[in-house]
Amino acid sequence: MKFIKENTQLFLIASLTLGLAPFTPEPHLWGKIKWIMGGANGMNATDWFDFLMHGTPWFLLIFSLILKLKTKPSGDN
């Protein structure tokens, strides 16, 4: 948990680069989300794996931000 909490900036950079690549004609992850929301018709195992790979940086970023918001600074009494 400490690694996740302390590497928010790394996850932000990964989300904005790897998480969205390729960027044209639309961010790849956004296209996968739209496909899933539309019923995921025609998605095969490689599409799901691709969604997992592009979504992982975003999951880690959100999880890291939640951990930072939930824990109090250790200096406060």
Side-chain angles (χ1 to χ4, degrees), residues 3-65:
F3 175 80
I4 294 173
K5 185 178 173 186
E6 292 179 350
N7 286 292
T8 305
Q9 292 177 347
L10 173 66
F11 301 140
L12 177 63
I13 292 168
S15 296
L16 296 176
T17 56
L18 300 172
L20 295 176
F23 301 99
T24 56
E26 67 181 4
H28 194 60
L29 183 63
W30 181 246
K32 293 289 184 188
I33 291 171
K34 288 185 347 184
W35 194 2
I36 292 168
M37 296 300 287
N41 296 328
M43 284 186 77
N44 56 33
T46 55
D47 295 314
W48 286 104
F49 181 74
D50 191 40
F51 173 71
L52 177 69
M53 290 288 100
H54 286 277
T56 298
W58 289 98
F59 170 78
L60 291 171
L61 175 63
I62 292 167
F63 190 52
S64 176
L65 291 171

